[in-house]
Short mmCIF file of all heavy atoms in Angstrom, two decimals:
data_model
loop_
_atom_site.label_atom_id
_atom_site.label_comp_id
_atom_site.label_asym_id
_atom_site.label_seq_id
_atom_site.Cartn_x
_atom_site.Cartn_y
_atom_site.Cartn_z
N VAL A 1 3.80 10.37 6.74
CA VAL A 1 2.41 10.61 7.03
C VAL A 1 1.63 9.29 7.14
O VAL A 1 0.85 9.09 8.02
CB VAL A 1 1.80 11.56 5.96
CG1 VAL A 1 0.29 11.69 6.18
CG2 VAL A 1 2.48 12.92 6.01
N LEU A 2 1.83 8.42 6.17
CA LEU A 2 1.11 7.13 6.19
C LEU A 2 1.46 6.32 7.41
O LEU A 2 0.61 5.67 7.99
CB LEU A 2 1.43 6.30 4.93
CG LEU A 2 0.98 6.85 3.62
CD1 LEU A 2 1.44 5.96 2.47
CD2 LEU A 2 -0.52 7.05 3.59
N GLU A 3 2.69 6.43 7.80
CA GLU A 3 3.15 5.69 8.98
C GLU A 3 2.38 6.15 10.23
O GLU A 3 1.90 5.33 11.01
CB GLU A 3 4.64 5.85 9.22
CG GLU A 3 5.52 5.15 8.17
CD GLU A 3 5.90 6.05 6.99
OE1 GLU A 3 5.16 7.00 6.66
OE2 GLU A 3 6.95 5.77 6.42
N ARG A 4 2.27 7.47 10.39
CA ARG A 4 1.60 8.01 11.58
C ARG A 4 0.07 7.84 11.50
O ARG A 4 -0.54 7.46 12.52
CB ARG A 4 1.92 9.49 11.71
CG ARG A 4 3.31 9.76 12.24
CD ARG A 4 3.49 11.21 12.67
NE ARG A 4 2.81 12.16 11.80
CZ ARG A 4 3.43 12.87 10.84
NH1 ARG A 4 4.72 12.75 10.68
NH2 ARG A 4 2.77 13.71 10.10
N LEU A 5 -0.54 8.12 10.36
CA LEU A 5 -2.00 8.06 10.26
C LEU A 5 -2.53 6.64 10.41
O LEU A 5 -3.58 6.42 11.01
CB LEU A 5 -2.44 8.62 8.93
CG LEU A 5 -2.51 10.13 8.80
CD1 LEU A 5 -2.85 10.50 7.36
CD2 LEU A 5 -3.56 10.69 9.74
N TYR A 6 -1.86 5.70 9.79
CA TYR A 6 -2.42 4.34 9.71
C TYR A 6 -1.56 3.30 10.43
O TYR A 6 -1.89 2.14 10.39
CB TYR A 6 -2.59 3.92 8.24
CG TYR A 6 -3.51 4.87 7.49
CD1 TYR A 6 -3.01 5.75 6.55
CD2 TYR A 6 -4.85 4.92 7.78
CE1 TYR A 6 -3.85 6.64 5.91
CE2 TYR A 6 -5.71 5.80 7.15
CZ TYR A 6 -5.18 6.63 6.19
OH TYR A 6 -6.01 7.53 5.55
N GLY A 7 -0.49 3.72 11.06
CA GLY A 7 0.37 2.79 11.81
C GLY A 7 1.13 1.84 10.90
O GLY A 7 1.38 0.68 11.28
N LEU A 8 1.45 2.30 9.71
CA LEU A 8 2.17 1.42 8.76
C LEU A 8 3.65 1.52 8.99
O LEU A 8 4.22 2.58 9.11
CB LEU A 8 1.91 1.93 7.30
CG LEU A 8 0.48 1.93 6.83
CD1 LEU A 8 0.44 2.44 5.40
CD2 LEU A 8 -0.17 0.56 6.93
N PRO A 9 4.31 0.36 9.06
CA PRO A 9 5.79 0.36 9.05
C PRO A 9 6.28 0.93 7.73
O PRO A 9 5.52 0.98 6.72
CB PRO A 9 6.16 -1.12 9.18
CG PRO A 9 4.93 -1.80 9.67
CD PRO A 9 3.78 -0.99 9.18
N ALA A 10 7.51 1.32 7.68
CA ALA A 10 8.07 1.97 6.49
C ALA A 10 7.89 1.11 5.22
O ALA A 10 7.55 1.63 4.17
CB ALA A 10 9.56 2.27 6.69
N ALA A 11 8.11 -0.19 5.33
CA ALA A 11 7.97 -1.09 4.18
C ALA A 11 6.55 -1.10 3.60
O ALA A 11 6.35 -1.05 2.40
CB ALA A 11 8.45 -2.50 4.51
N GLU A 12 5.58 -1.14 4.49
CA GLU A 12 4.17 -1.12 4.06
C GLU A 12 3.82 0.23 3.45
O GLU A 12 3.12 0.29 2.43
CB GLU A 12 3.25 -1.41 5.23
CG GLU A 12 3.36 -2.84 5.73
CD GLU A 12 2.50 -3.13 6.93
OE1 GLU A 12 1.87 -2.19 7.50
OE2 GLU A 12 2.50 -4.28 7.38
N ALA A 13 4.34 1.31 4.03
CA ALA A 13 4.05 2.63 3.46
C ALA A 13 4.68 2.78 2.08
O ALA A 13 4.06 3.38 1.18
CB ALA A 13 4.58 3.72 4.41
N ARG A 14 5.89 2.24 1.88
CA ARG A 14 6.53 2.33 0.58
C ARG A 14 5.69 1.60 -0.48
O ARG A 14 5.46 2.10 -1.57
CB ARG A 14 7.96 1.75 0.61
CG ARG A 14 8.96 2.68 1.18
CD ARG A 14 10.38 2.18 0.95
NE ARG A 14 10.67 0.88 1.55
CZ ARG A 14 11.07 0.69 2.81
NH1 ARG A 14 11.25 1.75 3.56
NH2 ARG A 14 11.27 -0.51 3.28
N LEU A 15 5.23 0.40 -0.14
CA LEU A 15 4.41 -0.38 -1.07
C LEU A 15 3.13 0.35 -1.36
O LEU A 15 2.70 0.47 -2.53
CB LEU A 15 4.11 -1.75 -0.50
CG LEU A 15 3.25 -2.62 -1.40
CD1 LEU A 15 4.03 -3.06 -2.62
CD2 LEU A 15 2.74 -3.84 -0.63
N ALA A 16 2.49 0.93 -0.35
CA ALA A 16 1.23 1.65 -0.51
C ALA A 16 1.43 2.86 -1.47
O ALA A 16 0.59 3.11 -2.37
CB ALA A 16 0.67 2.11 0.80
N ARG A 17 2.54 3.57 -1.30
CA ARG A 17 2.82 4.72 -2.17
C ARG A 17 3.02 4.30 -3.62
O ARG A 17 2.53 4.97 -4.54
CB ARG A 17 4.05 5.48 -1.68
CG ARG A 17 3.74 6.34 -0.46
CD ARG A 17 4.77 7.42 -0.22
NE ARG A 17 5.96 7.19 0.54
CZ ARG A 17 6.08 6.63 1.74
NH1 ARG A 17 5.02 6.18 2.35
NH2 ARG A 17 7.20 6.53 2.35
N ILE A 18 3.72 3.22 -3.84
CA ILE A 18 3.94 2.72 -5.19
C ILE A 18 2.65 2.31 -5.85
O ILE A 18 2.33 2.69 -6.99
CB ILE A 18 4.97 1.60 -5.20
CG1 ILE A 18 6.35 2.11 -4.77
CG2 ILE A 18 5.07 0.94 -6.61
CD1 ILE A 18 7.38 1.01 -4.50
N VAL A 19 1.83 1.56 -5.12
CA VAL A 19 0.54 1.11 -5.66
C VAL A 19 -0.36 2.34 -5.95
O VAL A 19 -1.03 2.39 -6.98
CB VAL A 19 -0.12 0.14 -4.70
CG1 VAL A 19 -1.58 -0.15 -5.07
CG2 VAL A 19 0.66 -1.18 -4.64
N ALA A 20 -0.33 3.32 -5.06
CA ALA A 20 -1.16 4.51 -5.24
C ALA A 20 -0.73 5.33 -6.42
O ALA A 20 -1.51 6.08 -7.01
CB ALA A 20 -1.16 5.37 -3.96
N SER A 21 0.53 5.18 -6.86
CA SER A 21 1.00 5.92 -8.00
C SER A 21 0.55 5.27 -9.33
O SER A 21 0.85 5.78 -10.39
CB SER A 21 2.54 6.04 -7.96
OG SER A 21 3.12 4.77 -8.30
N GLY A 22 -0.15 4.15 -9.23
CA GLY A 22 -0.68 3.54 -10.41
C GLY A 22 0.10 2.29 -10.89
O GLY A 22 -0.29 1.69 -11.89
N ARG A 23 1.12 1.97 -10.21
CA ARG A 23 1.94 0.79 -10.59
C ARG A 23 1.22 -0.49 -10.13
O ARG A 23 0.52 -0.48 -9.13
CB ARG A 23 3.32 0.84 -9.96
CG ARG A 23 4.09 2.13 -10.13
CD ARG A 23 4.85 2.25 -11.43
NE ARG A 23 5.70 1.15 -11.74
CZ ARG A 23 7.00 1.04 -11.43
NH1 ARG A 23 7.59 2.01 -10.72
NH2 ARG A 23 7.69 0.01 -11.82
N SER A 24 1.44 -1.54 -10.87
CA SER A 24 0.87 -2.85 -10.48
C SER A 24 1.59 -3.41 -9.26
O SER A 24 2.70 -2.97 -8.94
CB SER A 24 0.98 -3.84 -11.62
OG SER A 24 2.34 -4.24 -11.83
N LEU A 25 1.00 -4.35 -8.65
CA LEU A 25 1.61 -5.01 -7.47
C LEU A 25 2.91 -5.70 -7.89
O LEU A 25 3.90 -5.64 -7.18
CB LEU A 25 0.64 -5.96 -6.79
CG LEU A 25 1.13 -6.56 -5.49
CD1 LEU A 25 1.43 -5.46 -4.46
CD2 LEU A 25 0.08 -7.50 -4.96
N GLN A 26 2.89 -6.31 -9.06
CA GLN A 26 4.12 -6.97 -9.57
C GLN A 26 5.25 -5.91 -9.79
O GLN A 26 6.38 -6.16 -9.41
CB GLN A 26 3.82 -7.71 -10.89
CG GLN A 26 5.05 -8.42 -11.43
CD GLN A 26 5.55 -9.52 -10.53
OE1 GLN A 26 4.76 -10.27 -9.95
NE2 GLN A 26 6.86 -9.63 -10.39
N ASP A 27 4.88 -4.78 -10.37
CA ASP A 27 5.88 -3.72 -10.58
C ASP A 27 6.41 -3.22 -9.23
O ASP A 27 7.59 -2.99 -9.06
CB ASP A 27 5.28 -2.54 -11.31
CG ASP A 27 5.06 -2.79 -12.81
OD1 ASP A 27 5.61 -3.77 -13.32
OD2 ASP A 27 4.29 -2.01 -13.40
N ALA A 28 5.50 -3.06 -8.24
CA ALA A 28 5.90 -2.62 -6.95
C ALA A 28 6.87 -3.62 -6.31
O ALA A 28 7.90 -3.22 -5.69
CB ALA A 28 4.69 -2.43 -6.04
N ALA A 29 6.56 -4.91 -6.43
CA ALA A 29 7.44 -5.94 -5.85
C ALA A 29 8.82 -5.87 -6.48
O ALA A 29 9.85 -5.93 -5.77
CB ALA A 29 6.80 -7.31 -6.06
N GLU A 30 8.87 -5.73 -7.79
CA GLU A 30 10.14 -5.66 -8.49
C GLU A 30 10.91 -4.40 -8.06
O GLU A 30 12.13 -4.48 -7.82
CB GLU A 30 9.93 -5.66 -10.00
CG GLU A 30 9.46 -7.00 -10.50
CD GLU A 30 9.05 -6.97 -11.97
OE1 GLU A 30 9.27 -5.95 -12.65
OE2 GLU A 30 8.50 -7.99 -12.42
N GLN A 31 10.23 -3.27 -7.96
CA GLN A 31 10.86 -2.02 -7.53
C GLN A 31 11.45 -2.14 -6.14
O GLN A 31 12.54 -1.62 -5.85
CB GLN A 31 9.90 -0.86 -7.61
CG GLN A 31 10.55 0.48 -7.29
CD GLN A 31 9.56 1.62 -7.50
OE1 GLN A 31 8.60 1.53 -8.23
NE2 GLN A 31 9.84 2.74 -6.82
N LEU A 32 10.74 -2.83 -5.27
CA LEU A 32 11.20 -2.95 -3.88
C LEU A 32 12.15 -4.13 -3.68
O LEU A 32 12.72 -4.30 -2.60
CB LEU A 32 9.97 -3.14 -2.95
CG LEU A 32 9.03 -1.94 -2.87
CD1 LEU A 32 7.78 -2.31 -2.12
CD2 LEU A 32 9.76 -0.76 -2.20
N GLY A 33 12.27 -4.96 -4.69
CA GLY A 33 13.18 -6.11 -4.59
C GLY A 33 12.67 -7.21 -3.71
O GLY A 33 13.43 -7.85 -2.99
N ILE A 34 11.34 -7.39 -3.74
CA ILE A 34 10.72 -8.45 -2.91
C ILE A 34 9.93 -9.37 -3.81
O ILE A 34 9.59 -9.03 -4.95
CB ILE A 34 9.81 -7.87 -1.80
CG1 ILE A 34 8.67 -7.00 -2.40
CG2 ILE A 34 10.63 -7.02 -0.82
CD1 ILE A 34 7.66 -6.47 -1.40
N ALA A 35 9.59 -10.55 -3.30
CA ALA A 35 8.81 -11.51 -4.04
C ALA A 35 7.39 -11.02 -4.19
O ALA A 35 6.88 -10.28 -3.30
CB ALA A 35 8.83 -12.86 -3.33
N HIS A 36 6.71 -11.45 -5.23
CA HIS A 36 5.32 -11.05 -5.46
C HIS A 36 4.44 -11.47 -4.27
O HIS A 36 3.58 -10.72 -3.83
CB HIS A 36 4.79 -11.64 -6.76
CG HIS A 36 3.42 -11.19 -7.08
ND1 HIS A 36 2.34 -11.98 -6.85
CD2 HIS A 36 2.96 -10.05 -7.63
CE1 HIS A 36 1.25 -11.34 -7.22
NE2 HIS A 36 1.62 -10.17 -7.73
N ASN A 37 4.66 -12.68 -3.73
CA ASN A 37 3.87 -13.17 -2.57
C ASN A 37 4.11 -12.30 -1.35
O ASN A 37 3.19 -12.07 -0.57
CB ASN A 37 4.16 -14.60 -2.28
CG ASN A 37 3.47 -15.53 -3.25
OD1 ASN A 37 2.50 -15.16 -3.92
ND2 ASN A 37 3.96 -16.75 -3.37
N THR A 38 5.34 -11.83 -1.19
CA THR A 38 5.62 -10.94 -0.06
C THR A 38 4.88 -9.60 -0.23
O THR A 38 4.31 -9.06 0.73
CB THR A 38 7.15 -10.66 0.05
OG1 THR A 38 7.79 -11.92 0.24
CG2 THR A 38 7.46 -9.72 1.20
N ALA A 39 4.85 -9.12 -1.44
CA ALA A 39 4.10 -7.87 -1.75
C ALA A 39 2.62 -8.07 -1.49
O ALA A 39 1.97 -7.17 -0.92
CB ALA A 39 4.36 -7.44 -3.19
N ARG A 40 2.09 -9.21 -1.90
CA ARG A 40 0.65 -9.50 -1.63
C ARG A 40 0.34 -9.52 -0.14
O ARG A 40 -0.65 -8.94 0.31
CB ARG A 40 0.26 -10.83 -2.23
CG ARG A 40 0.13 -10.80 -3.76
CD ARG A 40 -0.23 -12.11 -4.31
NE ARG A 40 -1.40 -12.61 -3.59
CZ ARG A 40 -2.25 -13.47 -4.06
NH1 ARG A 40 -2.05 -13.99 -5.25
NH2 ARG A 40 -3.27 -13.89 -3.36
N TRP A 41 1.23 -10.21 0.63
CA TRP A 41 1.03 -10.29 2.05
C TRP A 41 1.12 -8.89 2.70
O TRP A 41 0.30 -8.52 3.55
CB TRP A 41 2.11 -11.21 2.66
CG TRP A 41 2.04 -11.36 4.14
CD1 TRP A 41 1.17 -12.16 4.85
CD2 TRP A 41 2.80 -10.70 5.09
NE1 TRP A 41 1.40 -12.01 6.20
CE2 TRP A 41 2.42 -11.11 6.39
CE3 TRP A 41 3.88 -9.76 5.01
CZ2 TRP A 41 2.99 -10.65 7.54
CZ3 TRP A 41 4.44 -9.30 6.19
CH2 TRP A 41 4.00 -9.74 7.44
N THR A 42 2.08 -8.13 2.26
CA THR A 42 2.24 -6.76 2.75
C THR A 42 1.04 -5.91 2.42
O THR A 42 0.55 -5.14 3.27
CB THR A 42 3.53 -6.13 2.19
OG1 THR A 42 4.66 -6.94 2.54
CG2 THR A 42 3.77 -4.74 2.70
N LEU A 43 0.53 -6.03 1.21
CA LEU A 43 -0.63 -5.27 0.80
C LEU A 43 -1.85 -5.66 1.65
O LEU A 43 -2.67 -4.81 2.01
CB LEU A 43 -0.93 -5.48 -0.67
CG LEU A 43 -2.02 -4.61 -1.27
CD1 LEU A 43 -1.71 -3.12 -1.11
CD2 LEU A 43 -2.20 -4.93 -2.75
N GLN A 44 -2.00 -6.92 2.00
CA GLN A 44 -3.07 -7.37 2.85
C GLN A 44 -2.99 -6.68 4.23
O GLN A 44 -4.01 -6.29 4.79
CB GLN A 44 -3.10 -8.88 3.00
CG GLN A 44 -3.46 -9.64 1.75
CD GLN A 44 -4.84 -9.28 1.24
OE1 GLN A 44 -5.79 -9.18 2.00
NE2 GLN A 44 -4.92 -9.06 -0.07
N ASN A 45 -1.78 -6.52 4.74
CA ASN A 45 -1.58 -5.82 5.99
C ASN A 45 -1.98 -4.36 5.86
O ASN A 45 -2.60 -3.78 6.77
CB ASN A 45 -0.11 -5.92 6.44
CG ASN A 45 0.26 -7.30 6.92
OD1 ASN A 45 -0.62 -8.09 7.33
ND2 ASN A 45 1.53 -7.65 6.86
N VAL A 46 -1.63 -3.76 4.75
CA VAL A 46 -2.00 -2.35 4.48
C VAL A 46 -3.53 -2.22 4.45
O VAL A 46 -4.13 -1.32 5.03
CB VAL A 46 -1.36 -1.83 3.19
CG1 VAL A 46 -1.90 -0.46 2.85
CG2 VAL A 46 0.15 -1.78 3.32
N PHE A 47 -4.18 -3.13 3.74
CA PHE A 47 -5.64 -3.12 3.69
C PHE A 47 -6.25 -3.18 5.10
O PHE A 47 -7.15 -2.42 5.43
CB PHE A 47 -6.19 -4.31 2.87
CG PHE A 47 -5.98 -4.26 1.41
CD1 PHE A 47 -6.02 -5.42 0.65
CD2 PHE A 47 -5.77 -3.07 0.75
CE1 PHE A 47 -5.86 -5.41 -0.72
CE2 PHE A 47 -5.58 -3.04 -0.63
CZ PHE A 47 -5.64 -4.20 -1.37
N ALA A 48 -5.73 -4.06 5.92
CA ALA A 48 -6.28 -4.22 7.26
C ALA A 48 -6.11 -2.94 8.08
O ALA A 48 -7.00 -2.54 8.82
CB ALA A 48 -5.61 -5.40 7.98
N LYS A 49 -4.97 -2.29 7.93
CA LYS A 49 -4.67 -1.11 8.75
C LYS A 49 -5.37 0.15 8.24
O LYS A 49 -5.56 1.09 8.98
CB LYS A 49 -3.16 -0.88 8.80
CG LYS A 49 -2.47 -1.97 9.60
CD LYS A 49 -0.97 -1.83 9.57
CE LYS A 49 -0.30 -2.99 10.32
NZ LYS A 49 1.14 -2.91 10.24
N THR A 50 -5.73 0.15 6.95
CA THR A 50 -6.43 1.33 6.41
C THR A 50 -7.92 1.07 6.21
O THR A 50 -8.61 1.93 5.70
CB THR A 50 -5.82 1.68 5.01
OG1 THR A 50 -5.95 0.56 4.13
CG2 THR A 50 -4.37 2.10 5.14
N ASP A 51 -8.38 -0.06 6.67
CA ASP A 51 -9.81 -0.43 6.59
C ASP A 51 -10.28 -0.42 5.16
O ASP A 51 -11.37 0.09 4.85
CB ASP A 51 -10.66 0.48 7.46
CG ASP A 51 -12.04 -0.09 7.73
OD1 ASP A 51 -12.16 -1.33 7.76
OD2 ASP A 51 -12.99 0.67 7.93
N THR A 52 -9.46 -0.95 4.25
CA THR A 52 -9.84 -1.07 2.85
C THR A 52 -9.71 -2.59 2.49
O THR A 52 -9.13 -3.36 3.25
CB THR A 52 -8.93 -0.24 1.91
OG1 THR A 52 -7.56 -0.62 2.11
CG2 THR A 52 -9.07 1.24 2.16
N THR A 53 -10.29 -2.94 1.34
CA THR A 53 -10.20 -4.36 0.94
C THR A 53 -9.76 -4.53 -0.51
O THR A 53 -9.54 -5.63 -0.91
CB THR A 53 -11.58 -5.05 1.09
OG1 THR A 53 -12.57 -4.32 0.34
CG2 THR A 53 -11.99 -5.10 2.56
N ARG A 54 -9.65 -3.43 -1.22
CA ARG A 54 -9.26 -3.51 -2.63
C ARG A 54 -8.25 -2.41 -2.95
O ARG A 54 -8.21 -1.36 -2.30
CB ARG A 54 -10.46 -3.33 -3.56
CG ARG A 54 -11.56 -4.37 -3.26
CD ARG A 54 -12.66 -4.16 -4.18
NE ARG A 54 -12.10 -4.27 -5.53
CZ ARG A 54 -12.64 -4.86 -6.57
NH1 ARG A 54 -13.81 -5.45 -6.39
NH2 ARG A 54 -12.08 -4.89 -7.72
N GLN A 55 -7.44 -2.66 -3.97
CA GLN A 55 -6.43 -1.66 -4.38
C GLN A 55 -7.09 -0.35 -4.74
O GLN A 55 -6.58 0.72 -4.38
CB GLN A 55 -5.57 -2.17 -5.51
CG GLN A 55 -4.49 -3.10 -5.07
CD GLN A 55 -3.56 -3.54 -6.18
OE1 GLN A 55 -3.43 -4.71 -6.44
NE2 GLN A 55 -2.96 -2.62 -6.88
N ALA A 56 -8.20 -0.40 -5.43
CA ALA A 56 -8.89 0.87 -5.86
C ALA A 56 -9.29 1.67 -4.66
O ALA A 56 -9.12 2.89 -4.63
CB ALA A 56 -10.06 0.53 -6.74
N ALA A 57 -9.82 1.03 -3.62
CA ALA A 57 -10.23 1.71 -2.42
C ALA A 57 -9.01 2.31 -1.67
O ALA A 57 -9.07 3.43 -1.17
CB ALA A 57 -10.98 0.81 -1.49
N LEU A 58 -7.92 1.55 -1.67
CA LEU A 58 -6.70 2.07 -1.05
C LEU A 58 -6.17 3.28 -1.78
O LEU A 58 -5.84 4.29 -1.17
CB LEU A 58 -5.64 0.97 -1.01
CG LEU A 58 -4.26 1.39 -0.48
CD1 LEU A 58 -4.39 1.77 1.00
CD2 LEU A 58 -3.27 0.27 -0.66
N VAL A 59 -6.15 3.22 -3.09
CA VAL A 59 -5.68 4.36 -3.91
C VAL A 59 -6.54 5.56 -3.64
O VAL A 59 -6.04 6.66 -3.43
CB VAL A 59 -5.65 4.00 -5.42
CG1 VAL A 59 -5.40 5.20 -6.26
CG2 VAL A 59 -4.58 2.95 -5.67
N ARG A 60 -7.85 5.38 -3.67
CA ARG A 60 -8.77 6.48 -3.41
C ARG A 60 -8.52 7.10 -2.04
O ARG A 60 -8.45 8.35 -1.90
CB ARG A 60 -10.23 6.00 -3.52
CG ARG A 60 -11.25 7.08 -3.42
CD ARG A 60 -12.70 6.62 -3.67
NE ARG A 60 -13.00 5.26 -3.29
CZ ARG A 60 -13.11 4.23 -4.12
NH1 ARG A 60 -12.82 4.38 -5.39
NH2 ARG A 60 -13.44 3.02 -3.66
N LEU A 61 -8.34 6.26 -1.03
CA LEU A 61 -8.08 6.74 0.34
C LEU A 61 -6.78 7.56 0.36
O LEU A 61 -6.73 8.65 0.97
CB LEU A 61 -7.99 5.56 1.30
CG LEU A 61 -7.58 5.93 2.72
CD1 LEU A 61 -8.71 6.70 3.42
CD2 LEU A 61 -7.25 4.69 3.52
N LEU A 62 -5.74 7.03 -0.25
CA LEU A 62 -4.44 7.73 -0.21
C LEU A 62 -4.43 9.00 -1.01
O LEU A 62 -3.72 9.95 -0.67
CB LEU A 62 -3.33 6.78 -0.69
CG LEU A 62 -3.12 5.54 0.18
CD1 LEU A 62 -1.98 4.70 -0.37
CD2 LEU A 62 -2.90 5.89 1.63
N LEU A 63 -5.21 9.07 -2.08
CA LEU A 63 -5.24 10.29 -2.93
C LEU A 63 -6.24 11.32 -2.43
O LEU A 63 -6.08 12.50 -2.76
CB LEU A 63 -5.56 9.90 -4.37
CG LEU A 63 -4.50 9.03 -5.04
CD1 LEU A 63 -4.93 8.72 -6.49
CD2 LEU A 63 -3.14 9.74 -5.04
N THR A 64 -7.25 10.93 -1.67
CA THR A 64 -8.26 11.90 -1.26
C THR A 64 -8.46 11.98 0.23
O THR A 64 -9.11 12.89 0.73
CB THR A 64 -9.64 11.57 -1.89
OG1 THR A 64 -10.05 10.30 -1.40
CG2 THR A 64 -9.54 11.55 -3.41
N GLY A 65 -7.90 11.08 1.01
CA GLY A 65 -8.09 11.00 2.46
C GLY A 65 -7.13 11.98 3.18
O GLY A 65 -6.47 12.80 2.55
N PRO A 66 -7.05 11.80 4.50
CA PRO A 66 -6.21 12.68 5.30
C PRO A 66 -4.70 12.69 4.88
O PRO A 66 -4.04 13.67 5.04
CB PRO A 66 -6.32 12.13 6.70
CG PRO A 66 -7.43 11.15 6.70
CD PRO A 66 -7.71 10.80 5.27
N ALA A 67 -4.24 11.56 4.34
CA ALA A 67 -2.80 11.51 3.96
C ALA A 67 -2.52 12.39 2.74
O ALA A 67 -1.38 12.77 2.53
CB ALA A 67 -2.44 10.06 3.63
N ALA A 68 -3.54 12.69 1.97
CA ALA A 68 -3.32 13.52 0.76
C ALA A 68 -3.15 14.99 1.06
O ALA A 68 -2.64 15.76 0.27
CB ALA A 68 -4.51 13.33 -0.20
N ILE A 69 -3.61 15.41 2.24
CA ILE A 69 -3.58 16.82 2.61
C ILE A 69 -2.19 17.32 2.95
O ILE A 69 -1.24 16.95 3.07
CB ILE A 69 -4.51 17.10 3.80
CG1 ILE A 69 -5.94 16.79 3.33
CG2 ILE A 69 -4.38 18.50 4.31
CD1 ILE A 69 -6.97 16.87 4.43
#
């Protein structure tokens, strides 16, 4: 759903789901097996594609926006 709604590649959607579940970015990076800087860069891409600028706004969008339905 995230891929279609926001044009996220699978890797970005996976990171967004992990962050939305309440995990820290560092935890998400470790779970995905990527460097923290890679996770930060990926999260910045997610912010741009979802028109958000903070993790809290992204979480709110994913939990209450069209993707939550």
Side-chain angles (χ1 to χ4, degrees):
V1 173
L2 295 177
E3 291 94 331
R4 285 193 320 260
L5 281 174
Y6 301 109
L8 301 179
E12 291 176 357
R14 280 192 300 273
L15 179 71
R17 284 199 272 310
I18 294 169
V19 169
S21 74
R23 309 277 308 268
S24 70
L25 187 58
Q26 181 64 40
D27 287 344
E30 289 172 8
Q31 183 175 337
L32 294 171
I34 60 176
H36 185 260
N37 283 339
T38 301
R40 286 179 52 156
W41 180 80
T42 302
L43 187 59
Q44 291 300 315
N45 289 336
V46 172
F47 288 160
K49 292 175 183 176
T50 59
D51 197 28
T52 57
T53 56
R54 303 182 56 139
Q55 279 184 237
L58 176 65
V59 170
R60 185 173 33 259
L61 175 70
L62 298 181
L63 295 179
T64 63
I69 297 174

